[in-house]
């Protein structure tokens, strides 16, 4: 473990065991450096980790403190999924969610679609339109089966910001991240194999596991630090797990960013058990912290990490452009991508390549990052104000969805239907479990609507809960 | 069997056994009707079948004749693939073909891309461009997972021309026909299952069989009438075949249209053995005969046929828009389509829907049909003029590819490489076999180039053969 990782662990223990109390000032950077015989930057790095976990708060000019009002009070607990590989169910529920027409919904907190209005996306739409006007013939033929080289070049440059050295030839362009995940799952498994996943987990990944005739082993996951490495190691000892599929950076649905040392430890574990990691980085560029954290792929020195991503959350899902950096699995991935849908449309790839080359992508995500961070705070306030005090909620470090855990008696499957009748769409937690657990949880987005509408949506949920579960507010 | 089918069979036997000879006039319609106690239209239908098979030739005002110069003289024989289920190989070869850069090729006879210049495609490009200019926001969000309703409505209207009654809700839009085939294969099988296919067979379908962990059982296939039902029935008795995958209407690579009574018999066979048919109709609208022949799906009264198609051959592969009419398998197909790549881009679907609604699609394929029929004749002439007289070749009834069978000693795998060095690209027959058979065959397109360039390509092939296999011209 790194020096700063060790120091962070020690400080974390002291805070968690109450050695430092709420509101306490923590030792200064200089003090700790001397005390532990490490450099100033090591201490700074350790504090950065704890800040990300929100165990520590930096106050300008005054130093580091233990936050007075710990948001962790209302955090959900580490999840406790069933401890064996299972077939994924819940397809009916996912289909219902996917089929929900926008027309039926006044307040949309259900789908994970990004904000797609505003000036920063316009240059992309403009060049897409221009290409269709002036170069329609470029869009007609079969293109490169690995994706257009212009786009792969830009993607290889973008990868640097997450700490990856990727050659354009390491990349395969896909029809969104959904295809990327499906292809990678098929590339590293045989039917019947077991995949370890976070719990809760994005339903699309689980349905891909189901369709590839695989079993899912849900691993307990902490709402702020991600998948439990202890639980994962136990599972690896007990079951012939073929790959680990995780979304470690701005997780859907929990919103956490797994600390860097933990990412590294996860990679080591995969190495030790000689298995693959499928890393879904679709929200990776949308962490509120900047520069963005490194991906697990950044630590990959033997090609066992298959990084999957797309522009669906950073730009627009309708582009249907994603990619895979498949390491040592590249050739199998190319084969399965080809049989899966052959090539991807050329003009969208070209327009995105230009958007990136001209700095439009960076400008856009910079703006989105701030927008989502603010929206998160608004939504958290609305939740705190209106929902029962027993409600627990995550505090995402990126992306635009959060996870709500109600008291156990509240059934969000029923609540979803009742809310839909009042024009409010939410996603029941049951979708994010292989077996329909998390029925007392739900996922809410904070991208689609204005703060006012979002708060109204929360109020409507609160009213429904008050009516259906009068005990919740007592 | 239908009355006209029986009559056609009887006449076919008479012709094949030499009862009627080259150049002979055949009995008149009226004569046959009286003789066999059937209606005029039954005889006409029987003659139409034999015309399509080119066993009979209609001469305006004079009646029906046995053609003097039977093109069948130079037809390849019914194929003789290995008679057991096998793993598909040849991926390296397919990847080579797919990766071949256009820049390396002066004369392109290799890829099966349609003609994409000309006026009739312009309205489509115009509305695509207009949508991108005026309605870019429609292209941004996730759309309907089954495909846009406007397109599904037009596809359901189009289906009537192939004899199908399809409701828009019976259809699922896909990223091209490749995804359609992959999804259908996964929807009707379990890993390890056996799929019966035509031999030779489109390589993309075979690679999808491989990627889905299935085995391919290649069935002998006649170059003019399609898959041998006798051989298929024997195979069905011997092996637990799960589905039959065929391209019966303007087959790739052979070009045949399976006669309608045979399509019906194939369907009956599938019913008898209770298995599914995956029908690839991608070239179906490009038969030279008009109105186009019915698909097998037209006879499907219990939902066992999964029809797959796309706009890749009729309009442009770069659109990446295809579809599935999956009958009783619709729900499984929807699931696998969703996990495979989620939704398809909306604006392409909308532009195609408008193109169809306004009659542009019909106008376009009407023009293409004539163009390809003429190009076929030019290419056949060039082949007859320049290639060794031992060369056999199919005479496609639709589409824009044909199949050449050289003398057994000619190796097209080597020839492909030598031709590529001279700027001529062809597709070796080995790609169209699960095991690399058909090394003395190749597939040539007649869409991409002018007749002059095509003839030049054939001349270059002829020269190479003359140098490498001097015996071939003796
Ligand atoms: C974590 C995660 N992975 C993958 C996807 C699928 O992405 P795409 O729309 O690019 O196929 C989503 C979209 O909801 C997601 O949230
Ligand atoms: C018979 C056949 N089926 C399917 C395909 C794949 O079509 P698409 O480009 O629409 O994915 C092709 C294309 O070559 C083909 O020839």
């Amino acid at each position: 473990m790194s020096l700063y990782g060790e120091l962070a662990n020690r400080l974390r223990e002291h805070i968690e065991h109450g050695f430092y109390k709420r509101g306490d000032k923590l030792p200064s950077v200089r003090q700790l450096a001397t005390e532990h015989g490490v450099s100033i930057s090591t201490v700074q790095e350790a504090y950065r980790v704890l800040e990300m976990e929100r165990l520590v708060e930096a106050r300008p000019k005054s130093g580091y403190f233990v936050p007075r009002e710990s948001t962790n009070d209302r955090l959900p607990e580490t999840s406790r999924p069933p401890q064996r590989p299972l077939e994924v169910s819940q397809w009916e529920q996912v289909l219902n969610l996917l089929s929900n027409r926008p027309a039926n919904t006044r307040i949309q907190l259900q789908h994970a679609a990004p904000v797609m209005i505003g000036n920063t996306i316009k240059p992309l739409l403009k060049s897409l339109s221009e290409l269709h006007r002036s170069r329609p013939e470029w869009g007609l033929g079969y293109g490169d089966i690995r994706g257009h080289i212009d786009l792969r070049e830009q993607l290889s440059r973008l990868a640097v910001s997450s700490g990856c050295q990727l050659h354009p030839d390491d990349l395969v362009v896909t029809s969104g991240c959904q295809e990327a995940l499906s292809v990678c799952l098929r590339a590293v498994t045989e039917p019947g194999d077991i995949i370890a996943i976070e719990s809760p987990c994005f339903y699309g990944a689980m349905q891909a596991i189901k369709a590839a005739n695989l079993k899912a082993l849900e691993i307990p996951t902490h709402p702020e630090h991600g998948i439990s490495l202890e639980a994962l190691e136990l599972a690896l000892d007990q079951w012939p797990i073929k790959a680990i599929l995780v979304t470690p950076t701005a997780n859907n649905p929990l919103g956490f960013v797994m600390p860097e040392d933990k990412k590294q430890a996860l990679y080591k574990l995969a190495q030790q058990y000689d298995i693959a990691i499928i890393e879904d980085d679709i929200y990776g560029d949308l962490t509120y912290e900047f520069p963005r954290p490194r991906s697990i792929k950044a630590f990959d020195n033997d090609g066992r990490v298959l990084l999957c991503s797309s522009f669906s959350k950073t730009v627009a899902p309708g582009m249907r452009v994603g990619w895979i950096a498949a390491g040592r699995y590249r050739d199998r991935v190319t084969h399965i991508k080809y049989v899966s849908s052959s090539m991807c449309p050329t003009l969208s790839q070209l327009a995105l390549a230009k958007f990136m080359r001209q700095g439009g992508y960076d400008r856009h995500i910079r703006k989105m990052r701030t927008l989502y961070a603010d929206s998160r705070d608004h939504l958290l306030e609305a939740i705190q104000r209106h929902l029962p005090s027993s409600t627990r909620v995550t505090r995402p470090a990126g992306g635009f969805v959060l996870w709500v855990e109600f008291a156990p008696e509240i059934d969000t499957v029923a609540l979803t239907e009742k809310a839909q009748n009042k024009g409010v769409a939410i996603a029941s937690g049951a979708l994010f479990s292989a077996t329909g657990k998390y029925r007392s949880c739900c996922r809410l987005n904070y991208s689609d609507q204005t703060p006012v509408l979002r708060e109204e949506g929360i109020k409507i949920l609160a009213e429904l809960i008050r009516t259906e579960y009068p005990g919740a507010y007592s």
Side-chain angles (χ1 to χ4, degrees), chain A:
Chain A
M1 179 169 296
S2 61
L3 275 180
Y4 73 83
E6 273 177 40
L7 181 55
N9 281 354
R10 207 167 310 171
L11 290 167
R12 189 186 298 113
E13 257 176 38
H14 283 174
I15 296 166
E16 284 176 346
H17 293 137
F19 180 78
Y20 300 118
K21 304 227 160 40
R22 302 274 165 87
D24 276 3
K25 185 171 187 326
L26 291 159
S28 74
V29 169
R30 198 167 299 272
Q31 215 176 324
L32 279 177
T34 321
E35 208 170 287
H36 294 270
V38 296
S39 71
I40 296 282
S41 70
T42 300
V43 180
Q44 283 171 332
E45 191 62 13
Y47 268 142
R48 209 182 59 83
V49 168
L50 297 173
E51 250 192 290
M52 255 176 51
E53 300 174 10
R54 281 182 293 285
L55 285 170
V56 153
E57 190 175 277
R59 299 203 193 132
K61 312 245 156 118
S62 334
Y64 291 93
F65 290 78
V66 183
R68 205 173 298 275
E69 255 281 289
S70 171
T71 50
N72 292 356
D73 290 355
R74 305 186 73 208
L75 263 190
E77 310 260 323
T78 295
S79 64
R80 279 178 301 177
Q83 308 217 7
R84 56 185 196 285
L86 290 167
E87 286 232 1
V88 173
S89 62
Q90 306 303 304
W91 166 240
E92 292 296 323
Q93 288 70 21
V94 172
L95 184 60
N96 259 343
L97 175 125
L98 298 170
S99 309
N100 193 9
R101 313 273 75 234
N104 301 334
T105 304
R106 199 167 60 87
I107 304 178
Q108 172 54 264
L109 309 172
Q110 181 174 56
H111 296 294
V115 171
M116 293 176 286
I117 47 175
N119 284 326
T120 50
I121 206 177
K122 283 196 181 147
L124 171 69
L125 301 183
K126 197 157 161 236
S127 57
L128 196 55
S129 158
E130 249 166 48
L131 280 166
H132 274 95
R133 190 179 49 74
S134 63
R135 292 294 180 195
E137 70 280 9
W138 289 0
L140 294 177
Y142 284 110
D144 189 322
I145 61 152
R146 298 206 171 88
H148 199 289
I149 182 64
D150 287 9
L151 180 61
R152 287 190 284 119
E153 265 166 19
Q154 292 305 316
L155 290 173
S156 118
R157 293 186 51 187
L158 177 67
V160 173
S161 69
S162 53
C164 298
Q165 300 273 341
L166 298 175
H167 190 273
D169 286 349
D170 297 331
L171 293 159
V172 176
V173 174
T174 59
S175 303
C177 191
Q178 183 63 45
E179 182 172 63
L181 294 173
S182 258
V183 165
C184 290
L185 281 167
R186 294 174 69 190
V188 302
T189 60
E190 320 261 304
D193 281 347
I194 301 169
I195 306 292
I197 56 174
E198 294 148 334
S199 182
C201 175
F202 167 55
Y203 49 79
M206 287 192 292
Q207 295 301 325
I209 288 173
K210 177 190 177 74
N213 300 296
L214 306 170
K215 291 214 170 80
L217 178 54
E218 297 164 279
I219 305 292
T221 299
H222 186 273
E224 300 259 281
H225 318 135
I227 196 165
S228 159
L229 296 187
E230 296 70 26
L232 179 60
E233 191 160 2
L234 283 176
L236 285 164
D237 279 337
Q238 196 176 356
W239 307 99
I241 292 170
K242 204 60 165 290
I244 310 168
L245 187 158
V246 285
T247 307
T249 311
N251 176 269
N252 173 10
L254 295 174
F256 62 78
V257 171
M258 192 188 235
E260 204 164 272
D261 54 347
K262 211 175 150 186
K263 283 181 179 164
Q264 213 160 351
L266 176 61
Y267 174 69
K268 284 271 182 306
L269 209 53
Q271 235 174 1
Q272 193 181 321
Y273 288 82
D274 194 19
I275 60 177
I277 296 177
I278 301 175
E279 179 180 22
D280 184 343
D281 192 51
I282 191 169
Y283 290 95
D285 286 351
L286 290 176
T287 51
Y288 309 144
E289 156 187 39
F290 182 78
R292 62 153 288 176
R294 284 193 272 187
S295 56
I296 301 176
K297 181 77 185 165
F299 307 110
D300 184 19
N301 51 39
D302 59 4
R304 68 177 65 245
V305 181
L306 302 96
L307 181 107
C308 297
S309 194
S310 82
F311 293 105
S312 297
K313 308 302 172 181
T314 48
V315 181
M319 305 293 299
R320 305 309 306 134
V321 177
W323 64 93
I324 303 170
R328 61 165 84 150
Y329 301 99
R330 189 193 62 176
D331 292 349
R332 261 187 76 67
V333 157
T334 307
H335 182 241
I336 299 181
K337 159 57 185 157
Y338 163 66
V339 305
S340 163
S341 71
S342 168
M343 295 79 173
C344 291
T346 300
L347 297 187
S348 313
Q349 296 183 60
L350 285 177
L352 282 163
K354 189 171 170 199
F355 191 49
M356 296 173 86
R357 195 167 50 241
Q358 303 193 331
Y361 176 78
D362 283 343
R363 260 190 298 280
H364 181 63
I365 57 165
R366 221 178 302 137
K367 184 164 149 197
M368 290 299 124
R369 217 184 281 131
T370 329
L371 182 74
Y372 296 140
D374 289 348
S375 304
R376 174 200 63 186
D377 293 341
H378 288 141
L379 182 57
L380 283 173
E381 273 166 40
I383 288 171
Q384 185 140 23
R385 201 170 304 137
H386 302 293
L387 293 183
S389 60
S390 57
T391 309
R392 291 158 178 267
V393 59
T394 60
R395 192 165 181 278
F400 43 75
V401 295
L402 55 71
W403 183 253
V404 177
E405 186 181 310
F406 294 109
E409 68 272 17
I410 295 182
D411 177 11
T412 60
V413 176
L415 195 64
T416 301
E417 215 182 298
K418 295 218 165 69
Q420 188 66 55
N421 291 337
K422 297 196 177 294
V424 181
I426 63 171
S428 165
L431 297 169
F432 300 87
S433 148
T435 57
K437 263 179 74 95
Y438 308 129
R439 280 180 82 106
S440 61
C441 303
C442 72
R443 187 192 71 180
L444 304 177
N445 78 42
Y446 44 90
S447 54
D448 258 16
Q449 315 278 175
T450 63
V452 175
L453 267 181
R454 266 198 294 275
E455 178 156 11
E456 197 186 322
I458 298 299
K459 274 194 213 161
I460 292 173
L461 286 183
E463 268 162 46
L464 281 171
I465 292 172
R466 206 180 288 276
T467 317
E468 303 288 325
Y469 307 94
Y473 280 92
S474 62

